[in-house]
Amino acid sequence: MNKINQLFANSTDQKLLSLYFCAGCPTLEGTADVILTLQRRGIAMIEVGIPFSDPLADGPVIQSAATQALKNGMTLKTLFSQLASIKDQVEIPLVLMGYLNPILHYGIEAFCQSCVEAGVSGAIIPDLPFDDYLNIVKPVADKYDLRIIMLITPETSEERIRFIDDNTDGFIYMVSSAAITGTQKSFDDAKQAYFRRINAMNLRNPRMIGFGISNAQTLKAAQDNAAGAIIGSKFVTLLNETNGNADIALDKLFEALTK
């Protein structure tokens, strides 16, 4: 069974925590150590960012991380090599998150095959048109048992959400707002209503809520309204501040999530 499906099948408390970081930042060689540290510290799933020069959906923190990673020399080929080196040690799901352009340059089939060889269970491609997913990417991803995760926002129609739910597997990435990535102090009434509306749809796929989670209030709101939460910008900031020491960055993150 795909590790993403296995994770949600075995999870009953709906308190999962997934963390995002950008491969190759703050150091080129730190990717493997960050992954193994997060696994050891109990993180349920890890999103590994593929750096790209024009990350449209990302705020300044992740944009800066991508820029630094590219300066450090991170490429998809390098990332797959690093992931393959620890494949036998990684038991939790790894999900690559990146934009379509580098993946197209790598080749869709080559990308899916490399994911399997490197122990990757899924991919999030924010700018992948859904029609292209259905007609081009999904048949190849299914061949390699790779989950392509789709995003929904408060502006996504119910019809579209149900179509995504019917044609994807793994989980649905619930973006908390129609904004770029970044931290928020709280989720307002409109976002809470959005969470309740999606809950009431009784979707087939589990959901994870991301974008803006950085403290106890936003974490609780996400974990109360979905299978769990995804934290990106806050952890990326802390990882940079600690020069890539994931243990210390996690200590600081867990402290922030109690406030």
Side-chain angles (χ1 to χ4, degrees), residues 226-246:
I230 300 168
I231 297 177
S233 295
K234 183 69 175 180
F235 181 65
V236 170
T237 297
L238 294 171
L239 198 59
N240 285 336
E241 289 176 354
T242 59
N243 197 32
N245 189 316

Side-chain angles (χ1 to χ4, degrees), residues 18-19 36 40 44 72 78 105 120 135 137 191 231 239 249 258:
S18 175
L19 295 187
L36 294 177
R40 174 172 52 81
N72 289 344
T78 299
H105 278 284
V120 173
N135 298 317
V137 177
K191 293 185 181 68
I231 297 177
L239 198 59
T258 64

Side-chain angles (χ1 to χ4, degrees), residues 92-109:
I92 63 176
L94 298 182
V95 179
L96 294 189
M97 186 167 188
Y99 292 86
L100 187 57
N101 185 280
I103 295 171
L104 286 178
H105 278 284
Y106 195 87
I108 298 295
E109 178 131 12

Side-chain angles (χ1 to χ4, degrees), residues 20-258:
Y20 165 96
F21 76 99
C22 183
C25 180
T27 66
L28 178 63
E29 301 298 335
T31 304
D33 181 68
V34 172
I35 290 170
L36 294 177
T37 300
L38 298 189
Q39 175 177 262
R40 174 172 52 81
R41 296 288 298 271
I43 300 304
M45 180 166 57
I46 301 172
E47 291 179 17
V48 183
I50 303 168
F52 181 52
S53 57
D54 192 20
L56 297 176
D58 293 308
V61 170
I62 294 178
Q63 285 187 20
S64 177
T67 299
Q68 184 60 54
L70 291 172
K71 288 180 179 177
N72 289 344
M74 178 54 71
T75 65
L76 253 179
K77 183 178 180 181
T78 299
L79 174 56
F80 281 130
S81 176
Q82 292 178 348
L83 296 178
S85 72
I86 58 169
K87 176 183 178 181
D88 294 340
Q89 302 175 63
V90 178
E91 299 176 354
I92 63 176
L94 298 182
V95 179
L96 294 189
M97 186 167 188
Y99 292 86
L100 187 57
N101 185 280
I103 295 171
L104 286 178
H105 278 284
Y106 195 87
I108 298 295
E109 178 131 12
F111 175 80
C112 293
Q113 183 175 350
S114 292
C115 281
V116 172
E117 293 171 350
V120 173
S121 299
I124 302 169
I125 311 171
D127 58 342
L128 173 64
F130 200 75
D131 287 346
D132 289 347
Y133 158 72
L134 282 177
N135 298 317
I136 300 172
V137 177
K138 186 178 188 299
V140 181
D142 287 350
K143 173 182 171 182
Y144 290 95
D145 196 32
L146 188 71
R147 302 293 177 260
I148 305 298
I149 308 303
M150 289 290 167
L151 289 78
I152 63 172
T153 76
E155 280 69 42
T156 308
S157 68
E158 179 173 338
E159 180 183 14
R160 181 74 165 184
I161 292 170
R162 292 201 181 279
F163 190 62
I164 289 172
D165 190 44
D166 289 341
N167 291 280
T168 61
D169 190 21
F171 69 96
I172 291 174
Y173 192 130
M174 240 176 111
V175 178
S176 66
S177 66
I180 57 175
T181 56
T183 61
Q184 300 178 39
K185 291 184 178 179
S186 64
F187 291 139
D188 59 23
D189 291 343
K191 293 185 181 68
Q192 298 278 0
Y194 159 58
F195 297 160
R196 291 192 295 270
R197 175 169 63 86
I198 303 303
N199 271 334
M201 291 178 67
N202 294 313
L203 299 175
R204 178 179 59 88
N205 280 295
R207 286 104 49 222
M208 295 286 285
I209 296 177
F211 284 47
I213 298 168
S214 62
N215 57 22
Q217 185 173 358
T218 49
L219 176 65
K220 185 177 187 303
Q223 291 182 329
D224 284 351
N225 288 281
I230 300 168
I231 297 177
S233 295
K234 183 69 175 180
F235 181 65
V236 170
T237 297
L238 294 171
L239 198 59
N240 285 336
E241 289 176 354
T242 59
N243 197 32
N245 189 316
D247 261 318
I248 299 176
L250 269 179
D251 288 341
K252 291 179 178 293
L253 177 64
F254 291 150
E255 181 182 359
L257 293 177
T258 64

Side-chain angles (χ1 to χ4, degrees), residues 4-31:
I4 295 174
N5 299 94
Q6 190 172 24
L7 172 67
F8 290 104
N10 294 339
S11 173
T12 57
D13 61 359
Q14 292 202 328
K15 301 290 185 185
L16 299 176
L17 180 60
S18 175
L19 295 187
Y20 165 96
F21 76 99
C22 183
C25 180
T27 66
L28 178 63
E29 301 298 335
T31 304

